Amino acid sequence: MLGRFLIYIAFASSLFATIGYYLSFKGRKSLIQKARLSYHISAIFVILASAFLLYLILTHQFQYTYVWSYSSTDLSTPLLISTFYAGQEGSFMLWTFYTAVLGLFLMSYSRRNGYEAEVMSVYSLVKVLLLLILVVKSPFEYVWETWPNQVHEGFVPPEGRGLNPLLQNFWMVIHPPIIFMGFAAMAIPYSHAVAALLRREYLTWVKPAMPWTIFAALALGAGLAIGGFWAYETLGWGGFWGWDPVENSSLVPWLIAVGTIHTMYVQRRTGAFARWNLGMSILAFILVLYSTFLTRSGVLGDTSVHSFVDPGMWVYLLLISLILTFSFIGFGLLFARRKEIPKVKVESDLLSREYNLFLASALLLIVAGFVIVGTSSPIITKILQGKASAVDVSYYNKTTLPLGIIMALLIGLAQTMWWRRTNPEALMNSLLFPTAAATVFTSILIVAGVREVLMALFVLTSSFAFFVSLRIAYKIARGNPKYIGAYLTHIGVALFFLGVIASTKYDKTQVVSLPKDQAINVFGYKLTYIGNQKIDKEKVAYNVKVEKDGDSFIAPLQMYFSEYNQGVMRHPYIFSLLNYDIFSNPNLLAFLVKNTLTNDLYLSPMSLEKSGGFNPHTTGDLIILDKNQEKVVGDYTLKFIRFDMSSEDMAKMMSGQDFAIGAVIEVTYKGKKQQVIPKIFYRNNMPVPEGVKVGDKQLTFVNLNVESGQIAVSLRSNGAVSEFQDEPVEVLVIEASVKPFINLVWFGVIVILAGFVVSMIRRISEVKK
Amino acid sequence: MKLKIVVGSVLIAGFIIFGAYSFMESNVKYVTIEEAKKTTRKVQIVGEWVKEKESYYDARTNQFIFYLKDDNGDVVKVVHNGAKPNNFEIASHVVVKGRYVDGIFESQEILTKCPSKYQSADALKQYQN
């Protein structure tokens, strides 16, 4: 009850704050004190509610559905804390928490800058609606409220369902807190834009809004980067980006925010693009809401690998009304005031910095447009074709590649442009070195093997962007390093592009079968599968010895059946500079620096097989045996008596673990009668039959149909098998790949984010002046 | 100024056409097995795994082979490039994406649709007796 109570108070007081702020903007100045107080109360209650949820999780109060659904007593404390935002209710709670806390900073910030009532009335409304979601979809629901007919009141489950093993990871502990910080912060540029429209103060608002926009883009960008690293490192996607709806939904608002930053910069300088900036700032937040709707409402349910939980009608409607409310306020006001927004004449010279910055902003908007259309494809196709289907990943690659090429070119050009008008001669001079360097660099890569035209072009424009940015950054670093932010970010973008090209277009992958204790050479490494062991109650590590130049390391590839996901989980092991085993194994670092600086070695487990055992291509003709009916096959008479399965195996089968099933078969050969029990072992859900010897042949139990009481067996001469191998040998099948220059991707991202930090600090100091 | 507007609108129209074309091109339609046999396009089929027929993973080629039955009752042999997907056994139905080539559906991606775990209290019941 307490949790719900805290949410209700927070909701009521934030509603009060919104109304108070709005009325005080409308002229009842005395209300501002009360509004401020209400906001503080609501923020305190949001913080208390969050603390209470955390307390419930840490003390394992499984009578709460949310706690029961995502945690269990065997989780470590950091993982336990991360279950706070493992589900929908908790992630809305986290979002609301950030909104509440950031609001406290925004309050004093806007008070200093003299527009508190306007900005806080809008911002506080965001919090009201987030709290409304928490009222409807409460993390404080009891299990007997969730399932009223199935669970009796007061029941406390002794154990929780536990956390999805995919989320049991350091990166997953820090990823959502950063992403949601970005989501929450995106409401601040929105509130600034709406406040500007309310105040009819269209020109000066970008100055105080700019640091917040950069902050929101920084947080969201950092979240995207960590999400990408998590996908690479844990999910075994083989890459850092899968154009998945969940990823796209953070990328799109990020692109818009970054686009806005470019034109805000122009507006600060010249006053131009006021309407564009208002629209973009509003759009960025609307897209945060729209993305939330896409990934949280269940509309994508049937078209993605992600499991999207259907949260129910109420949340669905609430999310839609959230989008409509804030679109109506933002775009409605913009439309109503469109005529009075001053139009500062834009410098329309093609060779001006402002024009090129506008192009950059528009280009980012177009990229975002393509991505959001693709992500919405299930909705679009549902309307057009009546049946929802998602676009293929190739759609994103196809559409973003040409835009990426143009973007890189623009990055290079725009940074050399002057304000108002660039002297063409001076432009030529400053472009000489970067163009030459990029041409040389690209030529080398073409000789080295970059043959596709678009890829070569992308390399050319990216390296051009890199050299331009590097040259300017070098000059600035010697002068006033405070101004280096933008150039640093663009160096990062160029490096990131080059890393993306190298690692995704020129990676090499090979499926390799590793028979136990037998070394196989792959990509210059010697790999040996040396056996497996359980590492906890579920997880199994398949150890592969990796050798090169006298160094040797063990790579534990994980593959196991997850109770939680009811499926086989596979975790890759990566030899890369970001491998955290360097802390426990000091020799590893030197090895990694020597071998993986330019090429990551990525090993993913595929399956465990037995050679010499079952292979449907070589088992010969199958013999179908009906229960208790004799069948004569050559010199043999076979009779299937019954299935043989221990109760222990039965239980294992029911719970999806490895198990074995046997068939009792009576074999008559040369007048001698005997009973044999060939078995099928199910390992990771893969049937592995083991034959038994009868006479001079091998009898293998291959398949079964329990309902009809039929089995399929094969009988073949023993010699054929023993010729090949006497004992079946375990074979670990893995996918090995090398990812060239993937470190450039990570390094590029870090440089981008560092640039954001520098820019943000500069813009903050400008506001203070 | 006029020229700029013309250039701008041509560019925007170009992007929209390019986007719409890519969208149509990459939109992988849901079809029946019968329809899949008639086209060379990449399509997706929803169906059930035919458990009675053979299904195995071939380590040499890294392919997972099984039979799929669609709602009309047609059955097709599916050769999937990759390991057996997660949740395959308990999936209520599976979706395969790929192309039909020479009597075989060559799948590049498999989605498994599982009965929702979130809406049932079954997992809770074990503690209640």
Side-chain angles (χ1 to χ4, degrees), chain A residues 348 392 565 568 617 685, chain B residues 4 26 42 56 84 86-87:
Chain A
S348 57
D392 201 43
N565 288 315
V568 181
H617 297 298
N685 294 312
Chain B
K4 203 156 282 166
S26 321
K42 188 173 175 182
Y56 59 91
K84 185 193 241 184
N86 297 348
N87 304 336

Side-chain angles (χ1 to χ4, degrees), chain A residues 197-236:
Chain A
L197 288 164
L198 286 173
R199 302 172 71 211
R200 298 182 148 86
E201 183 59 82
Y202 308 112
L203 290 181
T204 52
W205 71 281
V206 288
K207 187 176 175 182
M210 219 171 153
W212 289 107
T213 315
I214 298 175
F215 172 72
L218 171 67
L220 213 49
L224 282 166
I226 290 167
F229 189 67
W230 172 54
Y232 179 71
E233 197 265 330
T234 307
L235 294 185

